[in-house]
């Protein structure tokens, strides 16, 4: 069943015949398609490793980690190969680091099945030619039962300003305006703090 199907259900007594049957309609729903319910973080930075956790719904509840594969694609690179890959390999196979079935043992259909997966994209696993400008990547999750689902994962160029650390990271609300902060950033101009640097909260 690929789409909703309307079925007419009739009930009657054999002695009365079908002409005196009670009838009602039942809608038969198709199996839901696989979905990415959530993932975090929703972007990364070129030249830095990023560990992604994603929740995928409506897969076969009996699937195991061996039944699932992850591929990373870079959009709009005109065939730029990944480091260490063959000249025609324009995707990266990602190692599955964690696989957790979030549904209970009583779940027997795809409608209630949900799994959590975790993987890491290494700092040196993306094409060096994209290091400064970044790229729009996508992650494809596929299973041995034929389910395929993808989600976008933008990778910002490493020239985009980003935080390395902030100290302190916890303080009482009445000390927010009177506390000195130490902020370490990367990919900023040498005079960032002196000219044009703005800190907001």
């Amino acid at each position: 069943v690929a789409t909703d199907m309307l079925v007419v259900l009739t009930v009657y007594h054999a002695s009365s015949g079908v002409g005196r049957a009670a009838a009602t309609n039942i809608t038969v729903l198709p199996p839901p398609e696989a979905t990415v319910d959530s993932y975090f973080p929703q972007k990364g930075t070129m030249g830095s490793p990023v560990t992604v956790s994603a929740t995928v719904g409506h897969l076969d509840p009996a699937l195991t980690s061996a039944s699932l594969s992850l591929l990373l694609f870079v959009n709009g690179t005109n065939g730029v190969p990944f480091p260490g890959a063959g000249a025609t390999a324009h995707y990266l196979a990602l190692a599955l680091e964690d696989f957790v079935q979030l549904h209970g043992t009583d779940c027997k259909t795809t409608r209630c099945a949900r799994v959590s997966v975790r993987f890491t994209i290494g700092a040196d696993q993306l094409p060096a030619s994209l290091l400064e400008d970044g790229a729009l990547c996508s992650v494809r999750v596929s299973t041995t039962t034929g389910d395929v689902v993808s989600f976008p994962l933008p990778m910002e160029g490493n020239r985009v300003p980003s935080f390395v650390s902030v100290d302190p990271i916890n303080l009482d609300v009445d000390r927010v305006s009177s506390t000195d902060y130490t902020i370490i950033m990367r990919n900023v101009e040498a005079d960032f703090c002196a000219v044009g640097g703005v800190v907001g909260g």
Side-chain angles (χ1 to χ4, degrees):
V1 181
T3 59
D4 293 1
M5 182 172 65
L6 190 64
V7 176
V8 178
L9 176 67
T10 58
V11 179
Y12 61 93
H13 193 274
S15 62
S16 300
V18 68
R20 298 185 63 186
T24 189
N25 295 329
I26 297 177
T27 301
V28 180
L29 301 175
E33 296 183 353
T35 58
V36 176
D37 296 336
S38 63
Y39 62 97
F40 182 84
Q42 296 191 337
K43 63 180 179 180
T45 301
M46 296 290 292
S48 299
V50 56
T51 298
V52 180
S53 295
T55 300
V56 184
H58 308 310
L59 300 178
D60 185 334
L63 283 179
T64 65
S65 59
S67 308
L68 188 143
S69 63
L70 303 167
L71 296 178
L72 177 72
F73 292 85
V74 179
N75 303 335
T77 60
N78 296 321
V80 177
F82 284 88
T88 59
H90 305 304
Y91 61 85
L92 175 67
L94 298 168
L96 181 62
E97 299 175 349
D98 192 39
F99 175 89
V100 179
Q101 291 185 342
L102 301 178
H103 51 270
T105 55
D106 57 338
C107 176
K108 305 299 181 184
T109 70
T110 59
R111 194 166 298 279
C112 56
R114 293 172 70 242
V115 301
S116 172
V117 299
R118 188 181 74 237
F119 59 89
T120 296
I121 303 170
D124 57 352
Q125 287 188 287
L126 293 173
S129 59
L130 306 175
L131 196 61
E132 289 193 357
D133 293 330
L136 177 59
C137 298
S138 59
V139 177
R140 178 183 298 174
V141 182
S142 57
T143 70
T144 54
T145 55
D147 293 301
V148 178
V149 65
S150 300
F151 60 91
L153 187 67
M155 298 294 290
E156 296 180 337
N158 72 348
R159 61 183 177 183
V160 176
S162 59
F163 283 99
V164 175
S165 66
V166 178
D167 183 56
I169 59 172
N170 297 301
L171 72 162
D172 295 330
V173 64
D174 58 354
R175 297 181 56 199
V176 170
S177 61
S178 60
T179 299
D180 291 331
Y181 300 87
T182 300
I183 300 175
I184 300 177
M185 301 188 68
R186 63 183 170 197
N187 304 326
V188 296
E189 300 294 335
D191 60 354
F192 178 83
C193 293
V195 181
V198 177
V199 177

